[in-house]
Amino acid sequence: MSEDSTSGHSKSSSLTTYFAVWIALLAGTLLTYEAAKVDLGVFNAAVALIIATTKALLVALFFMHLRHASEKLLKLVVISTLFFLLILLALSMADYGTRAWS
Amino acid sequence: MPDSSTAAAVHGEAHAETHNPALLHHFATEEQQRDASNLGMWIFLATEVMFFGGLFCAYLIYRLKYFGDFAAASTSIDAALGGTNTAVLICSSLTVVIAIWAAQRSRRALMIAMLVLTMLFGLTFLGIKGVEYRDKFVEHHVPGSSFSFEHEEIPGHPGEYANPQHAQIFFALYFIMTGLHALHMVVGLGIFTWLLWMAWKGRFTPDYHTPLEIGGLYWHFVDIIWIYLFPLLYLIDRHR
């Protein structure tokens, strides 16, 4: 399939890419479901979050076309969003995580 | 503004050449208009990230504090239904990108078929969600006066029972987070009904299909939220 040659659609990926990402996302879902049944100790949560973040990145980069984003302003919005989310979670955890729970 | 005269000139040229009725007068080019719409949607999604972020933060705090109770409560939810719903949403995201792909190539029938499929997947998701909610109502796991979570063992700790009050916090978060997500799905279905109507009337061309693109951004974002909700709510300590 030669979709990318169509004029003026540099932002779009090929159908092959979309289907490959779709398969990867379904595989990730199965993997996270199966991994939850295996005892990994404290790493169960870490594995679940790593798989979820990988899937989220695949959706954002390929389905939401961030991979082809050329506008710097858009990149600034995305990066600052993640930055402020990190502040929200990290600073809250730094507080609650270090309290002495009874 | 020294550049205003040149901008006006570009604006005039763009109009003279294309006469695209979709190009609004305050934009110089179609590309500028599309970029502005995209940027606006991404800024909206940034506010949505912070909106859901507060709930994820509350979830993390209570999960750290009441891990055993959260694990017992999480195990009572049907993970197979949640996993199926994840797959359903992923399929709907695929049909959205194919719809845009079709719009870029003037494949109207394919675009409309993909939009209808997206909505069917969305309705399937809400249907499965409804079954899950019904189970929780039947089991009296809905926070409130009829809530009951007595003698539920903490996974991996035989003989130890979960504190119903702490489990209730999990179910409150479960209903608020999945409920807010489901509300976003309902709004998404509304947006896609409108997109389908526009597509049916032939409004989308290879040169102009911005509503499809930014509607798609919203749909994918709701998908990403679910990608995190599924392991966090359904899969706590499942290995015990």
Side-chain angles (χ1 to χ4, degrees):
Chain A
M1 279 179 266
S2 58
E3 297 83 16
D4 283 339
S5 58
T6 320
S7 62
H9 304 305
S10 55
K11 278 190 166 185
S12 172
S13 299
S14 71
L15 273 191
T16 324
T17 313
Y18 288 147
F19 276 101
V21 170
W22 175 64
I23 298 286
L25 289 171
L26 287 180
T29 304
L30 196 64
L31 187 67
T32 196
Y33 184 70
E34 294 301 325
K37 294 182 190 164
V38 183
D39 190 357
L40 303 169
V42 290
F43 293 108
N44 268 102
V47 167
L49 281 178
I50 287 168
I51 296 172
T53 303
T54 310
K55 286 165 72 186
L57 273 176
L58 283 175
V59 172
L61 289 176
F62 292 94
F63 284 180
M64 297 170 94
H65 305 299
L66 267 190
R67 197 169 64 113
H68 296 298
S70 53
E71 238 201 319
K72 288 196 176 72
L73 208 51
L74 194 146
K75 290 177 182 169
L76 181 72
V77 168
V78 174
I79 291 169
S80 52
T81 301
L82 296 176
F83 179 67
F84 279 104
L85 182 67
L86 192 71
I87 287 183
L88 172 70
L89 296 179
L91 293 191
S92 303
M93 286 310 121
D95 176 359
Y96 285 96
T98 53
R99 290 186 188 187
W101 299 110
S102 51
Chain B
M1 298 221 295
D3 283 335
S4 61
S5 58
T6 41
V10 173
H11 179 87
E13 272 170 33
H15 263 252
E17 281 170 12
T18 60
H19 290 286
N20 184 350
L23 178 62
L24 299 173
H25 283 269
H26 50 283
F27 291 112
T29 61
E30 287 162 30
E31 196 182 357
Q32 187 195 38
Q33 179 175 339
R34 197 179 61 217
D35 284 349
S37 301
N38 260 308
L39 184 65
M41 193 61 195
W42 276 99
I43 291 173
F44 169 70
L45 294 184
T47 69
E48 289 270 274
V49 166
M50 298 313 285
F51 182 31
F52 276 98
L55 287 168
F56 278 105
C57 191
Y59 165 88
L60 273 178
I61 290 166
Y62 282 109
R63 177 183 160 136
L64 281 179
K65 195 172 179 184
Y66 304 134
F67 185 77
D69 310 302
F70 266 44
S74 168
T75 311
S76 81
I77 308 176
D78 194 333
L81 284 184
T84 310
N85 254 351
T86 313
V88 168
L89 270 196
I90 286 169
C91 292
S92 76
S93 270
L94 176 72
T95 53
V96 168
V97 289
I98 297 177
I100 295 170
W101 182 91
Q104 287 167 342
R105 284 152 189 87
S106 303
R107 306 265 293 267
R108 182 170 172 270
L110 179 65
M111 168 173 60
I112 288 171
M114 286 300 130
L115 288 175
V116 170
L117 257 183
T118 304
M119 293 175 68
L120 286 179
F121 280 131
L123 288 170
T124 307
F125 177 93
L126 287 175
I128 293 176
K129 193 90 243 148
V131 171
E132 249 180 64
Y133 277 6
R134 196 210 56 185
D135 288 350
K136 291 291 101 184
F137 271 92
V138 169
E139 294 164 8
H140 290 274
H141 287 170
V142 183
S145 53
S146 78
F147 181 81
S148 166
F149 202 73
E150 304 297 330
H151 299 291
E152 298 279 355
E153 270 193 2
I154 293 176
H157 296 83
E160 275 185 56
Y161 297 112
N163 181 330
Q165 291 304 313
H166 300 167
Q168 193 166 206
I169 294 178
F170 172 86
F171 284 113
L173 285 166
Y174 164 81
F175 276 105
I176 292 170
M177 293 171 98
T178 59
L180 195 62
H181 178 269
L183 185 66
H184 277 78
M185 293 291 298
V186 173
V187 171
L189 283 171
I191 292 172
F192 271 73
T193 309
W194 176 68
L195 289 176
L196 182 63
W197 174 244
M198 296 267 284
W200 187 261
K201 287 175 65 173
R203 292 283 176 81
F204 299 137
T205 62
D207 289 326
Y208 178 75
H209 48 273
T210 310
L212 265 187
E213 281 180 1
I214 61 174
L217 284 180
Y218 174 85
W219 193 272
H220 296 309
F221 169 79
V222 176
D223 187 8
I224 286 178
I225 293 291
W226 184 261
I227 283 173
Y228 280 98
L229 285 183
F230 172 56
L232 291 179
L233 292 175
Y234 293 73
L235 301 176
I236 305 176
D237 242 13
R238 283 272 172 182
H239 53 83
R240 311 265 190 195

